């Protein structure tokens, strides 16, 4: 009886959460699935880049999906394939395209892609070998800001590769660096006034 009561309580709690989210969100919520990243040195270590000290820890895969809280249904936009990891999805301002970073297998690097919201027209935007392109976000003018390891640099206390902010056109052209920190810049987001909010990992001593 206690177990049945707990299951009922959890069911009611879930229904309450779904109702609350459904009242706040019109449409779908885009998200990714993946196996838990392996533990490592610091916040940049989940890249497990080819040629990096911890590259052998890349053991994960997942899909790009959308959840409709009104109907509690899930659909797959980009399916899970063995060894492929998808991360950092960002929906365009008109809701028609999804921008994200994807790595097809342990021998691949993270590159930027777009796909239509219905799962059609999957396109690769960046192709540079030996670097990771992650954390992409749309800018109001259609350009893209993202984090990349294109400028070679390592953290001061280990051999993890660092990334900086870059900007490019929506077709992947005119890539240029806009951040020059000595260590990792990540997770950019566009503020209401057009400025870019991001985090920066650095030494404090």
């Amino acid at each position: 009886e206690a177990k049945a009561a707990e299951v009922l309580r959890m069911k009611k709690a879930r229904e309450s959460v779904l109702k609350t989210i459904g009242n706040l969100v019109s449409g779908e919520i885009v998200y990714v699935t993946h196996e838990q990243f392996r533990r490592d040195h610091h916040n940049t270590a989940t890249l497990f880049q080819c040629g990096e000290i911890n590259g052998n820890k890349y053991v994960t895969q997942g899909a790009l999906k959308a959840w409709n809280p009104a109907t509690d249904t899930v659909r797959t936009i980009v399916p899970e394939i063995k060894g492929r990891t998808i991360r950092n999805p960002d929906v365009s301002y008109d809701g028609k395209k999804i921008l994200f970073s994807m790595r097809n297998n342990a021998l691949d690097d993270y590159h930027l892609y777009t796909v239509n919201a219905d799962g059609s027209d999957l396109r690769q935007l960046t192709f540079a070998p030996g670097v990771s392109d992650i954390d992409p976000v749309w800018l109001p003018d259609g350009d893209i800001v993202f984090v990349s390891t294109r400028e070679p640099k390592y953290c001061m206390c280990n051999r993890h590769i660092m990334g900086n902010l870059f900007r490019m056109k929506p077709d992947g052209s005119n890539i240029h660096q806009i951040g020059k920190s000595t260590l990792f810049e990540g997770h950019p987001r566009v503020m209401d006034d057009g400025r870019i909010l991001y985090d920066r990992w650095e030494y404090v001593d």
Side-chain angles (χ1 to χ4, degrees):
E1 289 182 7
K3 185 175 181 180
E6 179 64 12
V7 169
L8 181 60
R9 185 191 69 78
M10 292 177 66
K11 182 179 179 181
K12 288 182 177 180
R14 183 175 185 274
E15 290 172 351
S16 176
V17 169
L18 289 176
K19 183 177 180 180
T20 300
I21 294 174
N23 290 334
L24 296 173
V25 176
S26 61
E28 298 174 304
I29 296 175
V30 172
Y31 67 100
V32 296
T33 63
H34 63 77
E35 295 180 32
Q36 178 63 47
F37 292 130
R38 300 300 185 265
R39 294 179 60 189
D40 210 281
H41 180 55
H42 55 70
N43 65 323
T44 68
T46 58
L47 295 180
F48 303 122
Q49 302 172 94
C50 295
E52 194 177 48
I53 188 174
N54 63 353
N56 63 335
K57 289 189 176 182
Y58 178 79
V59 185
T60 186
Q61 63 189 43
L64 178 67
K65 298 188 177 186
W67 172 54
N68 188 324
T71 59
D72 192 21
T73 55
V74 172
R75 65 183 180 88
T76 299
I77 301 171
V78 179
E80 180 173 333
I81 293 177
K82 182 175 177 59
R84 182 163 77 180
T85 301
I86 300 170
R87 59 192 296 162
N88 320 123
D90 191 53
V91 180
S92 62
Y93 287 89
D94 61 8
K96 294 180 179 180
K97 286 185 178 292
I98 303 166
L99 172 67
F100 58 96
S101 178
M102 185 166 71
R103 183 176 176 179
N104 285 301
N105 53 61
L107 300 179
D108 191 22
D109 300 296
Y110 281 108
H111 303 293
L112 302 186
Y113 293 77
T114 57
V115 68
N116 290 337
D118 64 3
S120 64
D121 196 25
L122 176 64
R123 294 191 182 192
Q124 184 172 346
L125 302 181
T126 62
F127 299 84
V131 301
S132 291
D133 295 330
I134 60 168
D135 290 349
V137 292
W138 296 102
L139 294 175
D141 65 358
D143 279 8
I144 294 167
V145 165
F146 64 103
V147 175
S148 180
T149 61
R150 290 165 185 264
E151 181 180 72
K153 62 179 68 174
Y154 293 84
C155 72
M156 299 174 190
C157 62
N158 208 302
R159 286 180 285 169
H160 291 292
I161 300 171
M162 301 287 98
N164 291 119
L165 293 179
F166 284 73
R167 180 173 180 161
M168 70 180 188
K169 293 297 182 183
D171 62 358
S173 64
N174 194 28
I175 296 175
H176 58 283
Q177 189 169 350
I178 61 174
K180 291 289 290 186
S181 298
T182 57
L183 288 170
F184 207 92
E185 300 167 335
H187 308 101
R189 288 295 179 266
V190 181
M191 300 173 67
D192 290 341
D193 62 5
R195 290 181 297 165
I196 299 170
L197 178 71
Y198 65 98
D199 62 49
R200 183 175 69 194
W201 183 71
E202 60 185 29
Y203 286 87
V204 296
D205 55 356

